[in-house]
Amino acid sequence: MAKYLVLAMTNPLPGRDSEFNEWYDRVAIPAYASLPHVRPLGRYRSVPHDGYEFEMKDIGFEYLSVYEIETDDLEAAFSEVRVALAKATEEGRYHFSQAIDKGRFFEPVFVQI
């Protein structure tokens, strides 16, 4: 079975860090952990450093959430995830945060080699 990593790179809207982080901790992570094929691996915040020739701020994302997906059919797994997330939304267990900067959102998917 193939393993994939989803890297959710996000930013909160200005001044809404607390709301953004509370939503992730109390709403998003519990909801994502209940989705088929999905395993949350952790959340991270970029930090300035002198270890490389560039700083993380140059990438333009403050936060990173990492999820593992294990499946033989990625498109089918994503379809199941969408259905489960819609059900969680209908049941009031999930909603998308209004504190996320929707203009700066990047979610690449990588397959293990």
Side-chain angles (χ1 to χ4, degrees):
M1 193 163 310
K3 287 187 180 184
Y4 299 85
L5 286 182
V6 178
L7 307 179
M9 298 178 206
T10 57
N11 291 319
L13 291 170
R16 297 181 74 176
D17 284 60
S18 293
E19 180 184 349
F20 170 86
N21 286 310
E22 184 173 324
W23 170 80
Y24 254 107
D25 293 341
R26 295 181 185 213
V27 177
I29 297 299
Y32 299 158
S34 73
L35 297 174
H37 310 284
V38 176
R39 184 168 64 109
L41 298 180
R43 295 186 59 232
Y44 304 86
R45 184 174 183 170
S46 66
V47 295
H49 57 80
D50 293 327
Y52 299 103
E53 295 179 15
F54 64 93
E55 291 186 28
M56 291 300 291
K57 70 180 181 178
D58 296 336
I59 294 172
F61 296 100
E62 284 185 67
Y63 291 91
L64 168 68
S65 297
V66 182
Y67 307 92
E68 182 181 72
I69 295 178
E70 193 168 347
T71 182
D72 285 325
D73 185 341
L74 185 61
E75 295 308 317
F78 277 142
S79 181
E80 288 179 51
V81 164
R82 284 190 289 277
V83 168
L85 202 52
K87 182 177 179 183
T89 300
E90 289 172 10
E91 294 172 351
R93 295 182 291 112
Y94 179 80
H95 65 277
F96 196 77
S97 175
Q98 297 303 308
I100 290 179
D101 181 351
K102 293 180 184 91
R104 297 282 310 147
F105 193 91
F106 184 51
E107 208 169 57
V109 178
F110 295 83
V111 65
Q112 185 177 41
I113 56 175

